[in-house]
């Protein structure tokens, strides 16, 4: 289980203060994205189970209704992120939220949920029964009995989820990608861009409106201020970055959310 905490950033007028950040090298992120896309299109030695995924959604929402939080809505981009990580676990044998290379849940959501702005989290489970097929009740019960995983199932701030379930023989690998969706872009953001102006254009028709943003290394917490409405964007070094939109929560107060990952050529 991994939850990515939200951050608040105070501003004075239209001036943002943020620590400098470095871009991640572009090549590993592009290779990771290609690897995950290939696993989605040609699963290794098994297949995804849509009925199992939908059953996990139903069980999760039944659990939430009984405990108080509102039900979660399905998000296809989150399902792609969840499926990709489930298949990657099957191939690499690394049953963790972070890959060997250090790719994180926030980075995966940023690669696949390309119109989503919010705060992501992730659950993972793996099971193989000795004499019977693994059921969705067994996976959900594993999460319910783990405090961290249960917190994601019931987090009142989460609004959307996508489940990815990969069956490989008798083994089932399940991933839940959760998010508090605070805003939506008008369409999927491009993965590769040539300037910060292209990033700003991707935000132009967001709902609700996003008038300023920072960036960080994908999955990172150190921010670089790059854009304010009516001001020229600060130049960025080439590499992989994650969009960090600022969402207004009151006068001169902003929540710094998570958005798509992009590669600046």
């Amino acid at each position: 289980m991994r939850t990515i905490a939200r951050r608040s950033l105070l501003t004075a007028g239209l001036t943002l203060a943020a620590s400098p950040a470095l871009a991640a090298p572009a090549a590993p992120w592009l290779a990771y994205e290609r690897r995950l896309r290939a696993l989605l299109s040609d699963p290794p030695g098994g297949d995804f189970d849509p009925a199992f995924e939908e059953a996990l959604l139903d069980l999760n929402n039944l659990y939430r209704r009984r405990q108080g939080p509102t039900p979660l809505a399905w998000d296809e981009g989150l399902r792609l992120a969840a499926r990709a990580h489930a298949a990657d676990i099957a191939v690499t044998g690394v049953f963790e939220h972070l890959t060997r290379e250090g790719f994180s849940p926030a980075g995966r959501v940023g690669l696949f949920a390309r119109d989503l702005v919010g705060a992501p989290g992730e659950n993972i489970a793996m099971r193989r029964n000795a004499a019977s097929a693994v059921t969705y009740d067994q996976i959900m019960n594993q999460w319910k009995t783990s405090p961290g995983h249960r917190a994601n199932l019931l987090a009142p701030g989460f609004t959307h989820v996508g489940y990815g379930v990969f069956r490989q023989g008798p083994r089932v690998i399940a991933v839940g990608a959760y998010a508090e969706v605070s805003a939506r872009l008008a369409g999927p953001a491009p993965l590769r861009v040539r300037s910060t102006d292209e990033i700003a254009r991707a935000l132009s028709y967001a709902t609700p409106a996003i008038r300023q943003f920072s960036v960080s290394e994908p999955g990172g917490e150190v921010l670089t201020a790059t854009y304010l409405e009516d001001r020229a964007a600060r130049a960025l070094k080439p590499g992989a970055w994650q969009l960090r939109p600022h969402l207004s929560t009151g006068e001169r107060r902003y929540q710094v959310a998570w958005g798509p990952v992009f590669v600046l050529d």
Side-chain angles (χ1 to χ4, degrees):
M1 182 281 302
R2 182 175 176 86
T3 299
I4 309 298
R6 292 177 296 172
R7 296 184 56 195
S8 293
L9 180 68
L10 297 178
T11 67
L14 289 178
T15 303
L16 283 175
S19 302
L22 298 175
W29 277 92
L30 292 172
Y32 182 53
E33 195 264 353
R34 287 194 299 270
R35 179 174 103 201
L36 295 185
R37 295 280 180 191
L39 292 174
L40 288 171
S41 62
D42 187 16
D47 210 348
F48 301 110
D49 190 332
F52 201 122
E53 294 164 353
E54 292 165 9
L56 289 177
L57 173 66
D58 291 341
L59 288 176
N60 194 165
N61 280 337
L62 179 62
Y63 190 37
R64 288 174 72 90
R65 289 187 185 98
R66 289 173 175 171
Q67 297 294 323
T70 56
L72 299 170
W74 186 261
D75 184 90
E76 190 61 27
L78 292 175
R79 172 158 71 172
L80 290 175
R83 281 185 169 188
H85 192 46
D88 201 40
I89 289 172
V91 170
T92 64
V94 179
F95 182 65
E96 299 287 348
H97 297 288
L98 289 176
T99 69
R100 286 195 184 98
E101 306 93 334
F103 298 119
S104 69
R108 282 187 290 279
V109 170
L111 285 174
F112 289 96
R114 302 205 59 79
D115 67 337
L116 186 152
V117 173
E122 183 180 84
N123 280 357
I124 57 176
M126 182 162 56
R127 187 180 181 102
R128 176 175 179 167
N129 294 339
S132 61
V134 176
T135 68
Y136 39 80
D137 301 89
Q138 290 173 325
I139 295 295
M140 187 57 64
N141 286 336
Q142 284 184 212
W143 286 336
K144 285 181 180 180
T145 55
S146 164
H149 294 89
R150 184 171 64 249
N152 275 347
L153 295 175
L154 296 176
F158 285 151
T159 58
H160 291 70
V161 68
Y163 283 107
V165 175
F166 184 68
R167 284 190 178 273
Q168 193 178 45
R171 183 174 69 164
V172 166
I173 301 170
V175 176
Y178 308 86
E180 177 184 2
V181 179
S182 305
R184 289 281 186 179
L185 308 185
L191 176 61
R192 303 188 75 158
V193 298
R194 295 188 177 276
S195 71
T196 48
D197 289 338
E198 289 187 56
I199 304 166
R201 282 197 294 273
L203 294 174
S204 295
Y205 301 102
T207 305
I210 298 172
R211 294 186 172 87
Q212 57 193 43
F213 67 86
S214 298
V215 297
S216 68
E217 182 178 351
E221 289 285 353
V222 180
L223 304 178
T224 293
T226 60
Y227 172 79
L228 291 172
E229 190 175 41
D230 301 326
R231 292 197 180 189
R234 179 185 299 178
L236 286 174
K237 293 183 179 180
W241 297 93
Q242 188 152 20
L243 188 62
R244 304 300 301 277
H246 301 175
L247 304 174
S248 177
T249 58
E251 185 177 359
R252 297 193 302 171
R253 184 178 291 273
Y254 295 86
Q255 175 194 106
V256 181
W258 299 83
V261 170
F262 62 91
V263 173
L264 181 63
D265 292 323

